[in-house]
Amino acid sequence: MNAGESRREPWIVGVSGASGTPYAAAVLRALLGAGEAVDLVVSRASRLTLLDETGISFRDAHWQDDLREWLARGADGKPGTFDVDVSGVRYWGAGDLAAGPSSGSYPAKGMLIVPASTACVAGVALGLSKDLLQRAASVTLKERRTLVVAVRETPLNGQTLRHLVALDDAGATVVPASPAFYAGATHIQDLVDFVAGRVLDAAGVGHGLYRRWRGELGGGTVGR
């Protein structure tokens, strides 16, 4: 390991099988745009969701090309909307339980699960560690690092609510994927960016994804 590698301290981003792959793309773009290193874990279920929502097949052998194509798409599905450099990303297969993020000695700033399915929420809350995404989340909690869980489901039943409370008790921050409208959204990308921005707020990562509330009524309509 060279000196550059020893100083690398990434954010781990886990993408589970819930609907909402545009949220994950917005978070990844913002992290990379802020100069953050990223370790990416894409669950097997999320590959099906990504295929359904974007038409992109995420392949281990071609992950850089597939990731670049994914992050270039806008929330409306239009290709080539964004120009993204993915050189700051390290990819780990979801089945690789010997991967770096599976150990507490692996340096990381924290973990963001975007979007988080109810199955993923349950697995992390119960400490199942059935795949690398869940294991990395468990490691993040035990090491007292930042864990942000962007749950995307509606309605929520009592069992899932109890799992979310358990995660909160364990030190995670639960961020429901609930867009707000006071920021003056005029496009689907604005709504996606609001949720992504709140995820990054919870992680303490700077961004300019949405207009913040400043105590002025009607501010969201300015410029429409």
Side-chain angles (χ1 to χ4, degrees), residues 8-14 27-33 35-41 63 67 86-92 106:
R8 187 177 184 274
E9 193 176 10
W11 283 99
I12 302 167
V13 176
V27 166
L28 288 165
R29 284 193 299 265
L31 286 172
L32 295 172
E36 299 283 353
V38 172
D39 276 22
L40 178 64
V41 181
W63 70 265
L67 178 63
V86 300
S87 61
V89 179
R90 175 181 288 171
Y91 172 71
W92 302 95
Y106 183 78

Side-chain angles (χ1 to χ4, degrees), residues 44 92-98 131-132:
R44 281 179 285 189
W92 302 95
D96 185 4
L97 291 176
D131 61 9
L132 179 60

Side-chain angles (χ1 to χ4, degrees), residues 11-14 108-114 116 120-121 123-125 133-150 163-164 166-168 170-175 199 202-204:
W11 283 99
I12 302 167
V13 176
K109 291 183 177 179
M111 183 172 184
L112 316 176
I113 305 178
V114 189
C120 173
V121 166
V124 176
L133 195 160
Q134 292 184 14
R135 172 60 186 169
S138 294
V139 167
T140 301
L141 287 175
K142 80 179 182 68
E143 296 295 327
R144 300 296 191 266
R145 296 169 183 158
T146 297
L147 175 63
V148 182
V149 180
H163 289 151
L164 291 172
L167 288 178
D168 180 79
T173 300
V174 177
V175 179
V199 170

Side-chain angles (χ1 to χ4, degrees), residues 201-218:
D201 288 345
V205 177
H207 65 87
L209 288 176
Y210 68 90
R211 172 190 172 275
R212 297 184 182 276
W213 175 251
R214 302 187 184 279
E216 300 173 358
L217 293 175

Side-chain angles (χ1 to χ4, degrees), residues 120-200:
C120 173
V121 166
V124 176
L126 296 174
L128 298 182
S129 295
K130 73 169 189 176
D131 61 9
L132 179 60
L133 195 160
Q134 292 184 14
R135 172 60 186 169
S138 294
V139 167
T140 301
L141 287 175
K142 80 179 182 68
E143 296 295 327
R144 300 296 191 266
R145 296 169 183 158
T146 297
L147 175 63
V148 182
V149 180
V151 60
R152 214 308 305 164
E153 184 59 271
T154 189
L156 295 171
N157 63 26
Q159 188 175 45
T160 297
L161 290 170
R162 286 187 285 273
H163 289 151
L164 291 172
V165 170
L167 288 178
D168 180 79
D169 288 343
T173 300
V174 177
V175 179
S178 302
F181 296 85
Y182 64 77
T186 60
H187 190 277
I188 186 175
Q189 188 67 55
D190 299 325
L191 298 175
V192 167
D193 285 348
F194 180 87
V195 172
R198 295 300 286 152
V199 170
L200 295 171

Side-chain angles (χ1 to χ4, degrees), residues 7-120:
R7 289 193 297 269
R8 187 177 184 274
E9 193 176 10
W11 283 99
I12 302 167
V13 176
V15 185
S16 81
S19 176
T21 54
Y23 293 131
V27 166
L28 288 165
R29 284 193 299 265
L31 286 172
L32 295 172
E36 299 283 353
V38 172
D39 276 22
L40 178 64
V41 181
V42 178
S43 77
R44 281 179 285 189
S46 70
R47 294 172 189 242
L48 298 176
T49 307
L50 183 63
L51 180 63
D52 185 53
E53 294 184 345
T54 70
I56 296 171
S57 296
F58 197 90
R59 303 159 295 174
D60 285 346
H62 304 281
W63 70 265
Q64 287 179 308
D65 292 336
D66 297 336
L67 178 63
R68 192 177 296 110
E69 182 183 359
W70 175 26
L71 299 189
R73 287 179 183 260
D76 59 0
K78 182 180 179 181
T81 301
F82 300 97
D83 183 16
V84 184
D85 179 5
V86 300
S87 61
V89 179
R90 175 181 288 171
Y91 172 71
W92 302 95
D96 185 4
L97 291 176
S102 67
S103 172
S105 66
Y106 183 78
K109 291 183 177 179
M111 183 172 184
L112 316 176
I113 305 178
V114 189
S117 66
T118 55
C120 173

